[in-house]
Each structure stands twice: as structure tokens, then as C-alpha cells.
Amino acid sequence: MVEQKIRFDDGAAYEQMMGIWSRLAGEIFLDWLAPPPGLRWIDAGCGNGAFTQLLVERCAPAEVQGIDPSEGQLAFARSRSTSRVTEFRQGDVMALPFPADRFDAAAMALVIIFIPDPARGISEMVRVVRPGGTVATYMWDMLGGGFPVDPVLAELRAMGFVPSRPPRMEASRMEALHGLWTEAGLEAVETREITVQRTFADCDDFWRTQLMFPSVAPLVAAMAPGDVETLKGRVRAALPAGAGGSITYGARAHAIKGRRPK
Ligand SMILES: C[S@@+](CC[C@H](N)C(=O)[O-])C[C@H]1O[C@@H](n2cnc3c(N)ncnc32)[C@H](O)[C@@H]1O
């Protein structure tokens, strides 16, 4: 299977494609973390600020530092944020631009499979969190059918097409996450599954969104028109029909949290 290098350059497109999904999962994730107000957070791989915004809305933080390598994503994050506690800067989770013990909590939403060396990224998150602080993440269950674009990918494969796959999908397995957290020396490690449902207004809304995914767009662009119609019909038949032509279906993520020892 072809492994694809994925770039996130367009914060507005990302919002429609994944930001909405991210916030759906992020709400459950933050309820599970149940942090007290007034914490200093780092949001590693903050992207277009979808999860950062949720942190501000739900957790009353004292501060959130968002870091991401993509200026396109960061520009959207800055434009959407009206909060004075958030700051966004370019950076890499494998070399965080902060001193040790700087934060109370480190979160990373839907990023771990994109980090070239996930263990290094986690050790950096542990370094910048104070003793007793929290390090947590969630990622779609990429190998277990939890990725939001899986209904389309499954039908593409059934038709004989070979979609590219995001890098390092193995890091999304619960066992892999647990290994990373324990090997980083974190304690009180807990995991959970997060299931969410998203509703698309109609077929057009659904397809517009699917065609933004890097694993779908180039394949469909190169397909014969008849194949595209077949694909749409197969996906439509596989998903439950909702009222007024709406489409509702689910995705599933793995979440993990741990505490830096005191
Ligand atoms: C799927 S998006 C998640 C964005 C956001 N956290 C959310 O929940 O919507 C993945 C993000 O990881 C970022 N990323 C990729 N490699 C990274 C790295 N080495 N360090 C930090 N972020 C990285 C990408 O630029 C992208 O914005």
C-alpha cells in the first residue's frame, strides 16, 4: 500500500474535513480528562485551532500555547481565536520551544500518526509538563475502522482501487499508545475509546467533505465518471439514510492520559 506524506496547509478546508470531527471527539476527551480551571496548557499539533478553541470554551485555562509546523493551519487558528489566553507559534512536538516544567497539561489531538518519531514527541510533552502534570492524546482508530473516511475507503478497496494511507497508522493502536505512555515514564495511565457521530446535511455536503481527504481526492479525480457514480452509490447504500437526505455515521478514536511522576 502507498504511504502518503500529508501536508495540512489550508485551515479553512481542514475545518470542514476534520475540524468538526475533531471537536466532536474533543468534547468527550476533555470531559474524560476533567481538568480543573486555571491550568497552563500546551496544545501540540494544534493545527487550525479546532481543539484549542474547545479547550478555551470548556476548561477555563489560564493559558494555551498552540504549536504546529503548518503556517496555513496556524493562520486560521489565529483568525478564529478571540481569546487572550491563546498563543500560536510554529513548532515541532519533537523539539518543543519551551523550557522544562513550563505547563500543567499537554494535549495532542489527532496528531500522533504524523510525528516522524512519536516516542520523541511524547518525551518532549513530558519534559515541558511539571511533575504531577497531565500528558494526553486522542487519535482515530486507523487500523480498526474508526477513521471518519473509512466508509469511502472501504468501497474504493472493494472496487479494486488502492487508496494511499497516512503514515505511522500503527501508532493509533491502543497497545501502541499504552506502550508510548508507559515507556515515557508516565504513571496513572488510563485509556478509553471515544465514539462520535457526525451528520451531513445531504449527499452534496457529504461528498464535498470526502473529496477533501488526501486519501480520496486524487483517486476520485483520476476515476472514470461511471466509476465515480458507482462509488457514490455503493457508499450511499452502505450508510444509513437519514431524514431529508441527511447522512449520519460514526467514527471512533483511542484516547490515553497519564501523569508525570512527582
Ligand atoms: C489531523 S491535524 C490535527 C489538528 C488539530 N489538533 C485538531 O484536532 O484538529 C494534524 C496536525 O498535526 C500537525 N503536525 C504534523 N507533524 C507534526 C509535528 N512533528 N509536530 C507537531 N504537529 C505536527 C499538522 O500540521 C496538522 O496540523
Side-chain angles (χ1 to χ4, degrees):
M1 202 175 296
V2 190
E3 199 167 275
Q4 190 177 29
K5 180 158 171 46
I6 297 177
R7 292 176 55 90
F8 296 92
D9 293 328
D10 183 339
Y14 178 85
E15 185 63 11
Q16 172 65 16
M17 173 182 80
M18 190 52 81
I20 294 171
W21 281 112
S22 177
R23 277 205 307 279
L24 289 168
E27 286 177 6
I28 299 171
F29 175 70
L30 287 175
D31 285 351
W32 180 58
L33 294 186
L39 298 188
R40 299 161 301 161
W41 290 82
I42 178 165
D43 179 8
C46 63
N48 80 347
F51 175 76
T52 325
Q53 184 171 322
L54 203 59
L55 254 179
V56 172
E57 288 166 5
R58 292 177 86 94
C59 302
E63 173 189 7
V64 187
Q65 293 286 340
I67 69 108
D68 198 282
S70 163
E71 267 306 332
Q73 289 270 70
L74 291 168
F76 192 90
R78 290 187 190 104
S79 75
R80 84 192 297 165
S81 177
T82 52
S83 167
R84 273 176 298 169
V85 304
T86 55
E87 216 174 287
F88 298 97
R89 69 171 84 176
Q90 204 167 22
D92 187 325
V93 67
M94 295 184 298
L96 288 171
F98 297 104
D101 307 349
R102 167 75 171 71
F103 299 98
D104 302 302
M108 188 167 71
L110 304 179
V111 177
I112 200 150
I113 64 168
F114 300 106
I115 307 172
D117 182 349
R120 192 161 147 211
I122 307 313
S123 75
E124 272 293 89
M125 289 169 75
V126 173
R127 180 184 67 80
V128 300
V129 162
R130 65 165 167 79
T134 297
V135 177
T137 198
Y138 62 93
M139 183 68 223
W140 303 121
D141 177 7
M142 302 298 294
L143 296 171
F147 187 36
V149 80
D150 274 338
V152 178
L153 297 180
E155 296 306 327
L156 277 168
R157 285 191 202 100
M159 289 172 66
F161 294 95
V162 184
S164 59
R165 44 178 264 162
R168 289 171 288 285
M169 297 211 294
E170 292 70 20
S172 71
R173 289 170 50 243
M174 202 67 108
E175 299 73 25
L177 291 172
H178 197 269
L180 284 165
W181 256 242
T182 49
E183 281 156 28
L186 291 159
E187 60 183 26
V189 174
E190 289 179 45
T191 61
R192 67 159 288 169
E193 279 193 357
I194 294 174
T195 53
V196 291
Q197 291 222 313
R198 177 172 172 185
T199 296
F200 295 86
D202 51 32
C203 274
D204 284 349
D205 185 26
F206 174 79
W207 276 107
R208 219 180 10 258
T209 306
Q210 306 307 309
L211 292 175
M212 292 172 167
F213 281 96
S215 40
V216 175
L219 270 185
V220 172
M223 279 166 81
D227 283 345
V228 176
E229 286 317 304
T230 304
L231 173 67
K232 287 184 173 179
R234 290 178 67 122
V235 174
R236 193 72 194 84
L239 292 173
S246 66
I247 296 175
T248 300
Y249 71 100
R252 191 180 59 258
H254 290 154
I256 188 160
K257 60 181 175 181
R259 195 174 56 219
R260 183 173 163 193
K262 288 195 174 157

